[in-house]
Amino acid sequence: MNYDLAGKIAVISGGTSGIGLATAKKMLEDGAEVFIVGRNAERGRRALHTLAMFSEKVQYIKADVSTLQGCKQVAETIKEGPAKADVLVNSAGVYSEKRLEEIAEEDYYSIMDTNVKGTLFLCQSLMPLISVGGSVINIASDAALEGNYGCPIYCASKGAVVALTRALALDFATKIRVNCICPGDVATPMVEAQLKTGQYTLQEMALPYPMERIGRPEEIAHVICSVASPLNSYMTGSIIAVDGGLTAK
Ligand SMILES: NC(=O)c1ccc[n+]([C@@H]2O[C@H](COP(=O)([O-])OP(=O)(O)OC[C@H]3O[C@@H](n4cnc5c(N)ncnc54)[C@H](OP(=O)(O)O)[C@@H]3O)[C@@H](O)[C@H]2O)c1
């Protein structure tokens, strides 16, 4: 499957791991030039090493999207390089589980600042550089579409990403398509960290899924690339569940 991304410039926050990394691989395979963004330089180096097997047209931007400064830094790097982008994937995200009574103020900011503020300000910083016909893809979660147990801040953050997507889709409708993917559980380092807490096993995590398993990063990347593709020219403001049937019930 080729998504007609040859010659396109893609910026992927969270492109150093999990869903973002799988998306970077697929976009490179399809001929795009890709900028991956993350905070941890060692993770960035490892990601570049992996991605170099697919194409050399990949660069790492070390930036923290939870700050406006970090988002502007990403835009500055793009301005100094290709000076435009065609695709922005907001995959940078953090997860933690705390029940309402355990939540401290800093827990709120540690999730909202990356998941919501980071998505909003990376869009704001890069929109002026995104070409007409370009595509923004925000990554929310099934937690935005239904309640998940024990993680109210995360659910609220992903609900906000869905609402933000719809608002930006309206404001940019004639120029840039803005869509949102809502994955169910996917086997990435984020889920590995969840499983390490020992509160549940992989088998227990898979139980509610009609397809009887969690997703693979490549399965989400496939949908992201399809939504990003110029072939997909009439879709904007769409909220797309990719969750093995979890939210079909
Ligand atoms: N995996 C799942 O089951 C699942 C399900 C539904 C939705 N999602 C969503 O999908 C997205 C990707 O998740 P994943 O599973 O691929 O997670 P992951 O493997 O933990 O990767 C997260 C990525 O985000 C980057 N990141 C985190 N905070 C950042 C910040 N403030 N600034 C810049 N980069 C930041 C990380 O790099 P650094 O740490 O180096 O910054 C890493 O590259 C997230 O938004 C997540 O909420 C995941």
Side-chain angles (χ1 to χ4, degrees):
M1 177 63 76
N2 186 309
Y3 296 103
D4 208 11
L5 295 171
K8 303 291 182 195
I9 315 281
V11 179
I12 307 176
S13 79
T16 60
S17 178
I19 293 168
L21 180 61
T23 303
K25 275 185 208 168
K26 183 67 195 133
M27 288 190 174
L28 287 168
E29 277 178 342
D30 280 9
E33 179 177 349
V34 175
F35 291 79
I36 55 171
V37 181
R39 297 162 301 180
N40 183 304
E42 175 53 25
R43 192 171 294 135
R45 194 195 59 74
R46 284 200 306 267
L48 279 183
H49 182 72
T50 304
L51 293 172
M53 288 185 263
F54 299 87
S55 164
E56 288 184 350
K57 288 189 293 179
V58 55
Q59 291 181 49
Y60 168 61
I61 305 174
K62 178 173 162 34
D64 181 350
V65 300
S66 72
T67 67
L68 175 58
Q69 172 58 28
C71 295
K72 284 185 172 169
Q73 191 189 324
V74 175
E76 281 309 312
T77 309
I78 300 301
K79 270 188 210 160
E80 286 161 15
K84 68 141 199 163
D86 302 289
V87 176
L88 166 62
V89 181
N90 281 299
S91 189
V94 287
Y95 177 84
S96 85
E97 289 176 9
K98 275 196 178 170
R99 294 180 56 84
L100 184 64
E101 56 276 18
E102 301 165 330
I103 293 169
E105 196 175 3
E106 58 267 27
D107 298 319
Y108 175 87
Y109 289 117
S110 80
I111 293 192
M112 296 301 261
D113 282 358
T114 295
N115 295 7
V116 185
K117 184 181 164 195
T119 301
L120 189 147
F121 282 110
L122 199 57
C123 285
Q124 186 196 58
S125 303
L126 281 173
M127 276 305 192
L129 298 173
I130 299 181
S131 51
V132 172
S135 175
V136 173
I137 295 125
N138 297 326
I139 311 302
S141 167
D142 68 281
L145 307 177
E146 58 178 14
N148 275 10
Y149 290 100
C151 53
I153 310 178
Y154 184 76
C155 289
S157 76
K158 293 302 187 178
V161 170
V162 165
L164 175 65
T165 300
R166 290 194 169 115
L168 295 182
L170 295 181
D171 287 345
F172 288 87
T174 58
K175 296 181 189 134
I176 296 161
R177 297 181 298 104
V178 186
N179 293 288
C180 181
I181 310 288
C182 294
D185 288 302
V186 180
T188 69
M190 182 180 278
V191 157
E192 280 166 27
Q194 273 174 256
L195 293 172
K196 272 193 194 140
T197 65
Q199 292 179 64
Y200 38 77
T201 63
L202 177 60
Q203 288 70 26
E204 285 164 344
M205 184 180 263
L207 274 178
Y209 286 84
M211 287 181 78
E212 298 180 348
R213 65 172 178 87
I214 69 166
R216 295 187 288 271
E218 300 72 29
E219 293 174 310
I220 313 302
H222 170 79
V223 180
I224 294 171
C225 293
S226 158
V227 172
S229 172
L231 299 168
N232 184 46
S233 49
Y234 197 54
M235 177 190 276
T236 197
S238 294
I239 311 302
I240 304 137
V242 187
D243 61 11
L246 182 71
T247 55
K249 289 175 275 172

